[in-house]
Amino acid sequence: MTSNNGESVGARTCVASQFFKDDKAIDMTTSEKVVDLLNQAALIATDSKLTVLKQVQELIINKDPSLLDNFLDEIIAFQTDKSMEVRKFVIGFIEEACKRDNELLLRLIANLNMLLKDESVNVVKKAILTFTQLYKVALQWFVRSKVMSEMQEACWDMVTQMKEDILAMLDIDNDGVRTHAIKFTESLIITLSPRTSDSDTPKRQEGDISLDKIPKDHPYIRYDTLCEEGKSALEQLLKFMVHPAISSINLTTALGSLATLARQRPMFMSEVVQAYETLHANLPPTLAKSQVSSVRKNLKLHLLAVLKHPCSLEFQGQISTLLLDLGMSQNEIARNTPAPREQRKRPRIEPYSDGKKLKMEPVLLEDDDDKEEPVAPSVSKPSSVPAAQSAIDLTAEFLRPLLSPENVANLVLISMVYLPDVMPASFQATYTPVESAGTDAQIKHLARLMATQMTAAEIGPGETSKDLLIKRKVPVVGQAISVVGGGYTEKSQLETPQVKRLPEPILPSTQIKMPGASGKRKVFRLADVVQPFTDAQLEKMTNTAVKRILHSEKAIAQSGMSHVRVKLLSRLVCQFEGIMMDDVLEFILEDIRTRIDLAFSLLYQEYNTYLSQQPAGLLDAYDHCLFTLLAGLQEKPEQRDGLFTKLVLEAPLITESALDVIRRYCEDESRVYLGMTTLKELIIKRPSRQFQYLHVLLDLSSHEKEKVRSNALSFIKRMYEKDQLRDYIEKFALNYMQLLVHPNPPSLLFSADKDTEVASPWTEETVRQCLYLYLSLLPLNHRLVHELASVYTEAIADIKRSVLRVIEQPIRGMGMNSPDLLLLVENCPKGAETLVTRCLHILTDKVPPSPELVERVRDLYHKRVPDVRFLIPVINGLEKKEVIQALPKLIKLNPVVVKEVFNRLLGTQHSKTPVPSSPALFTFLLMEMIPPTSTATNLCFGERNVYTSEVLAVVMQQLMEHSPLPILLMRTVIQSLTMYPRLGGFVMNILSRLIVKQVWKYPKVWEGFVKCCQRTKPQSYSVLLQLPPAQLTSVFERCPEMREPLLQHVHSFTPHQQAHITASVMTVLEANSKQPEPEAMRPVMAERKVMGSGGTHVFCSVCH
Amino acid sequence: MPSHPLRVAVVCSSNQNRSMEAHNILSKRGFDVRSFGTGSHVKLPGPAPDKPNVYDFKTTYEQMYNDLVRKDKELYTQNGILHMLDRNKRIKSRPERFQSCKEQFDLVISCEERVYDQVLEDLSSREQETFTPVHVINVDIQDNHEEATLGAFLICELCQCIQHTDDMENEMDELLQEFEDKSNRPFLHTVCFY
């Protein structure tokens, strides 16, 4: 090292001297120059600052080291410079200075420690490199000084601490820093382990300190401690190597370090080879393809380097297997294999199972020049021997005989299942055909590989004895190194060659480390690498997983495992508390017909979850599930398969929101029947909640859509027949009707979406809403009618009107024989008179009243409410005299009512058979009109189908019979004649008979008589001629224009006929010139009278 | 970003075509670059594939140029060898052998796998002293003029990217992966120590 320094110093001196020549102050002292340069350095920019500082370094370290001490502080002051390069220079300076003057370590180590924690990684790296050198310098220096001052002790403590810090940097984030830490570890291990004759030490490091040069009696630096530290560093390095996420560069670095260790410290060769083996079998999965190639290339390179070392002999099997795997030819391997040394060519001795551990020890021992040095832990030696059988060894031994071609083939076949579809890049890169397949060595290798994996997985026979091994592990590992410095018995030396000849040299004692290493890997490393997923990642992954199951429907169905899938899905969805619920539900709804089983599975799973969480469980998830399914079904256009019904009826529980969907379903006009059938089934089949369901149905009975309403009503009517539901329905209907007593319609009458003003008035519609249900029940249960009456009495006028309008159908349905209806009529609550009247009207509208009804009405009329209007509906059923009694009152009512009365009386309402008595009644009516009005008669004449000419003839006959003559007689006659002109002859007859009755005594009738004659001329001439002369004169006085035609009429008579005309009449005719002879007329008139009255009598008897 | 320019070595077999092309471009872009060959001799194409022109590393480009002009000027003009030598001699006087150079680099770029192996072998056979890391990257380039030019640009881009990293060692892995994807060729990469 010194010589090397010399070289570089020489080179640098040149640079410096060049500078000196340029400098004007050639004659300045070195000290002055340094001061000058330092002053410059403080002011100039980084680039030139470095140059200047380097000059200073040359001056005070190489040219005049005596100045070093003086200017040390000034240089060190630059360690806080903002330029990273300047700080790195300071580190370089510290290194140079300390190498030049070890004493300076005491002052500078703390500065280096500071720089080791610099914020720039490049500075840290430089510090690590420097410390790698200075650690050896420090150790050497302290070891030399037999007595340590307090300062030195503190310095050494700090060095130790820094060493630990750098070892800890193996875990740092920065790749480059880790790389440097690895190199430091390598150097540290070499320093803290003894150099042996086998050691392949580079010439430059010949003088370096190593463990073997540490005195065991040093006052402060403990040999044992250092030894342990070295081993621990190796352990850390090995542990680091098996980190699954190690970067390619770190791995490369570590591989190189291991090779260096194996060559310089062959005692570690077994560990190194073991590590290579493990690595080869388990390349980190994080490496990219090209990185795998790079690492393999390195591995090959380093394996070759190790192989070339003479101590590799016993590992040749393992190494060459590895090299073969890495693609090196057998020949090449052979070329690089060192010839075995003479001394090892001993005759082969029987295998000694405990010998593996000992194999390497002689190697260390043979050239150990410090044999006489005490061996501290030699006591533990015996225990190390049996422990050499590591778990891997045991398992490998166990496996080897089992690897028959058949078993291996089976294993391969089984593993096929787990192979990925595409060959991973790393495998493709690393795969090399197994050259020695089937050979004993290869089977052994295979067994070992498997054993490694199995041990890592904590299975296999080796594991069963692991407890023991773990307990022993620590002392054993310690032993491996500590024995190095110790002396061995002749016996062990003798054994060595035997061991070398063992048939299985592949298995080195380093196996001891394996369980520990692999164990630690799991316990310690795994946690480092395995990071918990974030919630989002987890969710995403679960989601995609479930989706995959969800969408693999067909594939699974083909394999006949649909039920498993369904079960799996429903459980998963439930477990994840519905994260995927919506997806699954949507999926189901896409084709619910085929996925109904999944739907049910899901429902029941959710319900089960709910039950299992009782009593605190929430139905939310279940509710959501059921609701979505039902709502989804509802939105589907058309299905006749009854899935909706099925879902509703088979769901374990119908929730409120589900019920809402059912209700909506019922409200859909195209599905109302299906919906209500479902609802009905629910009501019947789920008695525990039947009233809840029934309520929905009842609610629908007042629905605004006619179709919905009528369906609901018909369903309810059917329900009404069931005893257990009857009360509820009735109560509901009555409650609803009871609403009518409110002054304004309550808000519940309006569907929720309508913006209601509470104060809106009752309308026909709202009144009907309250009554639909009631009215449809009424025909089924007549008793209910009394409730209507009581509500009616309290309701306002508008409502009353509406009620009267809507009750027609049900009342008619009840019929007039209904006892309750009769009772109602009989009781007729106060205020319900109009209602009762209306009922009566409805009942008698089409059919004549029954005697019972008439009886009740009569009773009511006479005893309680003497309102003649009650009588109208039953007027047909009343006795004649009752009618006559009531008629005057009736006639005083308004014309519409009167008309109705007459209609009823005349039987026109019941058009089938006219009431026979009507002509008589009519006659009666006409006589009784007081004051005489023409209204009634006009009405009668309007009914031509009733008042036929025959009837009128009878009526006229009867009227004429009456005495005194009724006032309206002539009016009736005239009207009859107007309607039926063919009655003319009959009317003449009447007129003639009136003359007999001395009609002129009734002024009104007489007037009509004259009018009638006037209208019926010339037919009436013969009648006029029958009049006595005085009356004829009266006629001519009223109608003078009649005289002349009548006279001419007489003149046209035959003389015989003229003979009948009395002279007095003729006198009247001839305008008082001649007096007619009244006597001559009489007998004729008397004769006619007899005939006429006889005929009338016959007619009348027929009528009565 | 390292404050000093990357110290780069470009290495091919004979330090004639690929490494010199890259040397040319890199030096123009301001890198501290040197080029080397790893072969035991410098070989240039001859009149037939089995008759190469073989020189040792002490022969200058100038001498080779003159030698070939003398041998068959037309042939060597036509296959571009003379042109190449002409360019080379303007960059430096003679080819250099990597194994003989003791200078330290930050980055060594080899132009084919065999050369990479030789570089690694050489570097790991050296005695370690300072433990300063050197990254070795192999970029496979076919040994002809066109590929050499393309390869040189790729190398140059790679170096520029590395030069611009904040922390070269920490970002190297990722950077190389990106480059692999971009250029669609694998890079061998390792680290050695001086």
Side-chain angles (χ1 to χ4, degrees):
Chain A
M1 188 176 293
T2 324
S3 63
N4 177 47
N5 282 347
E7 264 178 45
S8 61
V9 166
R12 283 162 196 172
T13 316
C14 280
V15 177
S17 56
Q18 224 172 354
F19 175 81
F20 296 149
K21 278 172 202 160
D22 297 341
D23 200 334
K24 293 162 197 161
I26 291 176
D27 52 346
M28 283 169 100
T29 63
T30 313
S31 174
E32 281 165 348
K33 283 177 203 157
V34 170
V35 172
D36 188 38
L37 287 169
L38 282 175
N39 285 339
Q40 285 180 35
L43 297 169
I44 54 182
T46 304
D47 282 354
S48 22
K49 191 190 282 180
L50 275 177
T51 326
V52 173
L53 284 175
K54 273 175 189 160
Q55 288 166 7
V56 175
Q57 182 175 335
E58 285 303 323
L59 288 173
I60 63 177
I61 289 179
N62 294 319
K63 188 159 184 266
D64 191 353
S66 61
L67 292 175
L68 190 55
D69 206 35
N70 290 346
F71 292 106
L72 195 61
D73 291 348
E74 283 78 2
I75 300 267
I76 296 301
F78 284 101
Q79 76 166 5
T80 55
D81 194 283
K82 18 181 225 300
S83 161
M84 176 182 85
E85 292 299 323
V86 174
R87 297 205 294 278
K88 278 166 78 177
F89 162 79
V90 174
I91 296 171
F93 173 81
I94 291 174
E95 179 177 347
E96 294 305 317
C98 289
K99 279 179 178 167
R100 169 69 60 180
D101 182 358
N102 294 344
E103 285 278 350
L104 290 176
L105 271 171
L106 299 177
R107 291 169 64 184
L108 295 180
I109 197 72
N111 297 85
L112 186 60
N113 191 27
M114 271 173 69
L115 288 161
L116 196 58
K117 296 169 174 67
D118 196 278
E119 58 185 6
S120 159
V121 284
N122 288 316
V123 175
V124 174
K125 285 184 216 169
K126 175 76 180 166
I128 295 173
L129 287 180
T130 293
F131 185 75
T132 309
Q133 305 295 337
L134 288 187
Y135 182 81
K136 290 186 277 194
V137 172
L139 185 58
Q140 196 145 30
W141 181 52
F142 289 129
V143 166
R144 267 204 314 271
S145 46
K146 292 291 176 190
V147 183
M148 297 260 290
S149 69
E150 229 169 84
M151 281 264 288
Q152 283 175 313
E153 284 177 10
C155 179
W156 178 244
D157 287 347
M158 176 161 270
V159 167
T160 311
Q161 182 54 49
M162 286 165 77
K163 177 210 74 182
E164 292 298 331
D165 289 347
I166 297 176
L167 282 178
M169 285 181 191
L170 284 174
D171 287 329
I172 213 164
D173 269 345
N174 187 288
D175 207 26
V177 175
R178 284 201 300 270
T179 305
H180 284 79
I182 295 167
K183 292 310 278 186
F184 169 78
T185 311
E186 170 198 324
S187 164
L188 184 72
I189 295 167
I190 288 174
T191 306
L192 296 184
S193 58
R195 193 199 304 178
T196 61
S197 63
D198 280 347
S199 296
D200 186 4
T201 310
K203 286 194 192 76
R204 276 181 197 154
Q205 289 159 25
E206 285 289 333
D208 280 6
I209 184 134
S210 58
L211 190 65
D212 51 288
K213 298 200 178 97
I214 310 282
K216 301 250 159 82
D217 55 352
H218 193 277
Y220 196 73
I221 295 170
R222 313 294 306 170
Y223 179 95
D224 296 348
T225 316
L226 291 183
C227 179
E228 287 300 327
E229 281 173 4
K231 282 178 289 189
S232 133
L234 177 63
E235 240 173 272
Q236 285 192 49
L237 183 60
L238 291 171
K239 205 169 72 182
F240 177 77
M241 277 233 350
V242 295
H243 195 301
I246 188 169
S247 79
S248 123
I249 286 301
N250 284 170
L251 189 57
T252 311
T253 312
L255 286 175
S257 293
L258 286 183
T260 311
L261 285 176
R263 293 219 313 277
Q264 296 199 20
R265 298 291 181 264
M267 67 181 99
F268 298 134
M269 197 171 274
S270 63
E271 278 93 340
V272 171
V273 174
Q274 175 68 50
Y276 283 167
E277 252 189 338
T278 313
L279 175 80
H280 176 62
N282 300 292
L283 273 183
T286 48
L287 295 187
K289 191 177 166 189
S290 61
Q291 289 176 333
V292 169
S293 322
S294 304
V295 168
R296 283 166 62 86
K297 213 174 249 299
N298 264 295
L299 189 55
K300 197 156 81 181
L301 184 74
H302 296 311
L303 273 169
L304 268 183
V306 173
L307 186 64
K308 282 176 188 161
H309 195 275
C311 296
S312 72
L313 191 67
E314 55 207 293
F315 307 107
Q316 271 173 20
Q318 279 157 284
I319 295 173
S320 46
T321 311
L322 282 173
L323 284 170
L324 279 173
D325 277 355
L326 289 167
M328 198 174 245
S329 70
Q330 199 80 52
N331 283 341
E332 225 176 325
I333 297 171
R335 241 188 296 131
N336 285 290
T337 309
R341 290 188 201 174
E342 272 307 304
Q343 64 210 46
R344 310 212 169 169
K345 289 187 177 173
R346 299 261 175 101
R348 183 174 175 152
I349 298 172
E350 283 306 296
Y352 180 52
S353 61
D354 289 344
K356 286 174 200 153
K357 176 65 194 138
L358 298 177
K359 285 182 293 187
M360 63 186 277
E361 284 157 4
V363 178
L364 308 176
L365 198 61
E366 277 168 342
D367 304 299
D368 200 327
D369 45 5
D370 293 325
K371 274 179 197 167
E372 64 285 343
E373 282 181 8
V375 183
S378 62
V379 194
S380 66
K381 173 124 183 28
S383 69
S384 76
V385 176
Q389 283 280 74
S390 74
I392 294 179
D393 288 327
L394 286 170
T395 311
E397 282 298 321
F398 166 77
L399 284 175
R400 225 184 117 201
L402 295 175
L403 293 174
S404 66
E406 194 187 347
N407 281 342
V408 173
N410 283 335
L411 276 176
V412 170
L413 286 178
I414 291 168
S415 330
M416 285 295 190
V417 182
Y418 304 102
L419 291 182
D421 289 340
V422 182
M423 195 187 289
S426 61
F427 180 83
Q428 208 162 12
T430 58
Y431 174 74
T432 44
V434 183
E435 260 186 54
S436 51
T439 61
D440 202 34
Q442 199 262 334
I443 292 174
K444 204 158 61 189
H445 180 58
L446 182 60
R448 274 199 69 80
L449 285 176
M450 288 176 69
T452 314
Q453 304 282 358
M454 285 170 75
T455 309
E458 297 187 348
I459 48 173
E463 279 302 306
T464 51
S465 56
K466 198 177 171 187
D467 287 349
L468 179 72
L469 285 165
I470 287 171
K471 274 181 211 147
R472 285 174 182 172
K473 191 191 69 176
V474 178
V476 165
V477 173
Q479 183 67 10
I481 298 167
S482 60
V483 291
V484 165
Y488 282 90
T489 58
E490 286 302 305
K491 187 185 168 221
S492 66
Q493 256 190 320
L494 279 173
E495 273 173 8
T496 313
Q498 304 169 359
V499 173
K500 292 262 181 327
R501 300 281 180 259
L502 287 178
E504 293 181 59
I506 276 180
L507 312 177
S509 55
T510 32
Q511 294 306 326
I512 304 154
K513 276 205 121 68
M514 263 325 282
S518 63
K520 276 194 181 158
R521 189 193 329 173
K522 268 200 288 296
V523 176
F524 177 65
R525 285 294 183 185
L526 203 59
D528 287 358
V529 209
V530 181
Q531 289 180 336
F533 285 121
T534 65
D535 286 353
Q537 278 173 310
L538 273 178
E539 195 179 317
K540 197 178 160 211
M541 284 170 71
T542 32
N543 267 330
T544 48
V546 171
K547 271 188 188 140
R548 273 196 295 280
I549 303 176
L550 197 59
H551 293 290
S552 57
E553 189 180 32
K554 262 186 201 154
I556 294 176
Q558 276 164 3
S559 64
M561 285 308 197
S562 309
H563 59 286
V564 179
R565 170 176 165 272
V566 164
K567 200 167 185 177
L568 198 62
L569 271 177
S570 52
R571 288 205 178 165
L572 282 175
V573 171
C574 289
Q575 264 175 19
F576 289 113
E577 295 181 344
I579 297 173
M580 282 86 56
M581 176 73 92
D582 288 334
D583 287 339
V584 176
L585 288 176
E586 196 177 315
F587 177 79
I588 293 173
L589 284 172
E590 277 169 25
D591 182 8
I592 190 153
R593 191 185 304 266
T594 54
R595 292 164 186 165
I596 189 80
D597 50 346
L598 180 57
F600 276 118
S601 175
L602 202 58
L603 268 183
Y604 278 88
Q605 191 71 42
E606 286 292 3
Y607 188 64
N608 201 29
T609 314
Y610 157 71
L611 288 183
S612 63
Q613 289 167 355
Q614 288 285 28
L618 286 176
L619 260 177
D620 289 358
Y622 171 81
D623 183 39
H624 174 70
C625 181
L626 182 60
F627 173 80
T628 314
L629 286 173
L630 288 179
L633 266 177
Q634 196 216 340
E635 282 157 19
K636 298 243 165 194
E638 173 78 17
Q639 357 109 2
R640 300 184 184 281
D641 40 23
L643 280 175
F644 187 84
T645 313
K646 187 176 158 77
L647 197 60
V648 169
L649 294 182
E650 290 181 28
L653 186 77
I654 300 293
T655 57
E656 286 291 337
S657 54
L659 201 54
D660 279 346
V661 180
I662 300 173
R663 188 196 163 105
R664 285 213 304 271
Y665 203 85
C666 290
E667 287 171 0
D668 181 344
E669 282 174 76
S670 59
R671 292 170 176 167
V672 56
Y673 187 79
L674 191 62
M676 289 196 184
T677 312
T678 310
L679 199 52
K680 184 194 86 184
E681 292 291 311
L682 265 186
I683 293 169
I684 293 167
K685 295 186 175 161
R686 305 248 173 125
S688 64
R689 293 192 177 218
Q690 62 183 181
F691 292 122
Q692 196 186 347
Y693 309 136
L694 183 58
H695 194 90
V696 175
L697 190 57
L698 290 170
D699 254 356
L700 291 171
S701 70
S702 59
H703 198 268
E704 55 195 6
K705 289 182 187 166
E706 201 276 329
K707 190 171 177 189
V708 176
R709 193 171 61 225
S710 62
N711 266 293
L713 288 174
S714 78
F715 273 100
I716 292 172
K717 275 193 229 166
R718 259 180 274 167
M719 301 274 160
Y720 193 62
E721 289 158 17
K722 300 190 187 306
D723 287 338
Q724 75 271 28
L725 302 177
R726 179 180 280 258
D727 278 353
Y728 191 85
I729 297 176
E730 249 178 50
K731 209 175 285 172
F732 186 91
L734 294 178
N735 281 341
Y736 232 79
M737 184 173 67
Q738 207 69 45
L739 297 174
L740 290 173
V741 304
H742 297 286
N744 292 102
S747 54
L748 85 101
L749 288 179
F750 302 97
S751 40
D753 53 313
K754 281 190 192 157
D755 193 12
T756 49
E757 286 177 29
V758 181
S760 66
W762 282 100
T763 61
E764 179 84 19
E765 196 46 46
T766 45
V767 174
R768 277 168 191 269
Q769 269 189 21
C770 299
L771 288 171
Y772 284 127
L773 180 59
Y774 170 79
L775 294 178
S776 66
L777 295 182
L778 197 51
L780 301 177
N781 186 355
H782 297 177
R783 275 189 297 107
L784 296 174
V785 79
H786 305 295
E787 303 286 343
L788 177 64
S790 63
V791 169
Y792 184 83
T793 54
E794 289 178 54
I796 60 169
D798 278 348
I799 294 177
K800 282 186 172 131
R801 263 193 294 283
S802 300
V803 171
L804 293 181
R805 265 193 289 275
V806 296
I807 58 171
E808 178 170 346
Q809 204 62 36
I811 294 292
R812 187 165 293 156
M814 290 168 79
M816 65 181 75
N817 293 322
S818 160
D820 285 295
L821 212 46
L822 291 173
L823 191 62
L824 176 71
V825 175
E826 192 180 330
N827 295 338
C828 186
K830 197 163 169 51
E833 293 85 357
T834 40
L835 179 70
V836 173
T837 316
R838 175 72 179 139
C839 289
L840 292 173
H841 277 284
I842 292 167
L843 290 171
T844 60
D845 197 23
K846 297 249 164 68
V847 288
S850 66
E852 290 90 347
L853 187 63
V854 176
E855 183 54 40
R856 303 291 159 106
V857 176
R858 183 186 291 137
D859 216 40
L860 177 66
Y861 176 67
H862 288 304
K863 292 183 182 157
R864 299 185 48 207
V865 195
D867 185 336
V868 75
R869 279 174 294 182
F870 276 122
L871 295 177
I872 300 172
V874 293
I875 201 154
N876 286 7
L878 291 177
E879 304 270 321
K880 190 169 178 180
K881 72 168 202 274
E882 286 173 317
V883 176
I884 290 166
Q885 273 180 4
L887 215 44
K889 289 183 195 164
L890 286 168
I891 296 211
K892 283 177 196 153
L893 299 173
N894 73 52
V896 181
V897 180
V898 174
K899 181 183 175 184
E900 202 209 331
V901 172
F902 285 110
N903 281 343
R904 283 178 181 271
L905 281 173
L906 300 174
T908 48
Q909 264 179 319
H910 320 294
S911 55
K912 291 161 277 178
T913 50
V915 180
S917 66
S918 55
L921 275 170
F922 183 51
T923 315
F924 164 80
L925 276 175
L926 292 176
M927 290 186 306
E928 293 300 318
M929 288 301 179
I930 300 168
T933 59
S934 56
T935 323
T937 42
N938 278 339
L939 282 174
C940 298
F941 286 116
E943 302 289 337
R944 290 181 69 140
N945 54 339
V946 177
Y947 294 99
T948 57
S949 52
E950 290 79 11
V951 174
L952 286 176
V954 175
V955 169
M956 285 185 275
Q957 191 87 37
Q958 283 181 345
L959 286 174
M960 205 177 59
E961 296 294 316
H962 213 270
S963 179
L965 286 172
I967 296 163
L968 284 174
L969 172 64
M970 282 321 292
R971 182 188 167 79
T972 308
V973 173
I974 294 170
Q975 265 186 320
S976 304
L977 196 59
T978 317
M979 284 168 69
Y980 304 103
R982 61 190 176 86
L983 281 176
F986 180 74
V987 169
M988 290 311 120
N989 193 13
I990 294 280
L991 291 178
S992 303
R993 287 169 65 188
L994 282 174
I995 294 169
V996 176
K997 285 196 170 228
Q998 296 185 327
V999 64
W1000 46 87
K1001 287 181 181 164
Y1002 307 90
K1004 286 266 173 194
V1005 182
W1006 175 240
E1007 194 180 337
F1009 181 89
V1010 175
K1011 237 175 229 172
C1012 186
C1013 289
Q1014 196 180 1
R1015 287 194 181 196
T1016 54
K1017 65 181 182 185
Q1019 266 183 302
S1020 59
Y1021 290 160
S1022 58
V1023 177
L1024 285 173
L1025 289 176
Q1026 289 169 34
L1027 283 172
Q1031 273 68 43
L1032 191 59
T1033 312
S1034 161
V1035 171
F1036 291 145
E1037 279 167 8
R1038 288 172 192 266
C1039 306
E1041 77 282 0
M1042 293 270 288
R1043 183 202 304 255
E1044 200 56 33
L1046 187 59
L1047 187 62
Q1048 280 170 17
H1049 177 71
V1050 173
H1051 285 308
S1052 69
F1053 281 180
T1054 57
H1056 176 71
Q1057 280 172 322
Q1058 281 184 355
H1060 286 292
I1061 309 295
T1062 55
S1064 55
V1065 171
M1066 280 308 291
T1067 314
V1068 174
L1069 285 171
E1070 285 159 1
N1072 301 325
S1073 57
K1074 291 174 195 176
Q1075 282 296 314
E1077 294 170 37
E1079 270 90 324
M1081 288 291 292
R1082 266 173 207 156
V1084 182
M1085 284 168 63
E1087 192 186 31
R1088 285 198 185 168
K1089 177 193 161 195
V1090 174
M1091 281 174 65
S1093 66
T1096 307
H1097 273 293
V1098 174
F1099 205 100
C1100 284
S1101 65
V1102 172
C1103 288
H1104 282 282
Chain B
M1 183 173 156
S3 54
H4 63 82
L6 275 184
R7 293 169 298 176
V8 186
V10 194
V11 190
C12 70
S13 185
S14 293
N15 195 201
Q16 288 283 6
N17 181 24
R18 293 165 292 184
S19 57
M20 286 308 280
E21 183 75 35
H23 186 160
N24 189 22
I25 290 177
L26 284 176
S27 62
K28 281 181 186 164
R29 299 284 163 89
F31 285 93
D32 180 0
V33 60
R34 287 185 67 178
S35 57
F36 300 94
T38 50
S40 47
H41 294 90
V42 175
K43 286 180 187 168
L44 287 172
D50 57 337
K51 289 183 215 161
N53 292 298
V54 181
Y55 305 95
D56 66 15
F57 273 87
K58 284 170 192 151
T59 322
T60 64
Y61 293 122
E62 179 86 52
Q63 286 164 335
M64 294 177 203
Y65 185 90
N66 294 333
D67 184 48
L68 292 182
V69 166
R70 187 179 46 76
K71 276 179 179 164
D72 187 343
K73 185 178 178 185
E74 195 174 337
L75 171 69
Y76 297 112
T77 309
Q78 204 160 35
N79 64 13
I81 301 290
L82 288 180
H83 177 264
M84 181 185 78
L85 284 169
D86 186 48
R87 176 203 58 198
N88 292 353
K89 71 184 181 188
R90 276 184 274 126
I91 296 170
K92 59 183 187 183
S93 65
R94 59 166 64 90
E96 293 166 279
R97 192 156 188 262
F98 181 75
Q99 289 88 335
S100 322
C101 170
K102 296 302 164 208
E103 197 183 316
Q104 295 190 359
F105 299 97
D106 297 312
L107 185 60
V108 176
I109 294 175
S110 59
C111 298
E112 67 173 270
E113 193 169 338
R114 193 174 47 86
V115 175
Y116 173 83
D117 289 344
Q118 283 167 335
V119 168
L120 250 56
E121 200 179 339
D122 174 61
L123 285 175
S124 56
S125 69
R126 295 185 193 181
E127 288 182 3
Q128 289 184 25
E129 189 198 344
T130 62
F131 291 148
T132 314
V134 51
H135 287 265
V136 186
I137 298 172
N138 179 56
V139 180
D140 266 322
I141 303 171
Q142 276 183 325
D143 198 358
N144 60 49
H145 299 304
E146 294 75 23
E147 286 295 317
T149 312
L150 292 175
F153 278 109
L154 183 63
I155 291 173
C156 181
E157 199 186 343
L158 181 59
C159 290
Q160 280 174 329
C161 285
I162 294 173
Q163 175 80 65
H164 282 89
T165 53
D166 286 332
D167 182 357
M168 163 174 140
E169 282 184 294
N170 204 30
E171 295 169 38
M172 185 83 99
D173 267 357
E174 216 170 308
L175 189 74
L176 283 175
Q177 290 304 314
E178 270 172 40
F179 255 82
E180 274 190 357
D181 292 343
K182 209 162 77 181
S183 64
N184 200 21
R185 53 174 111 196
F187 296 132
L188 294 170
H189 168 219
T190 193
V191 63
C192 295
F193 298 88
Y194 288 110

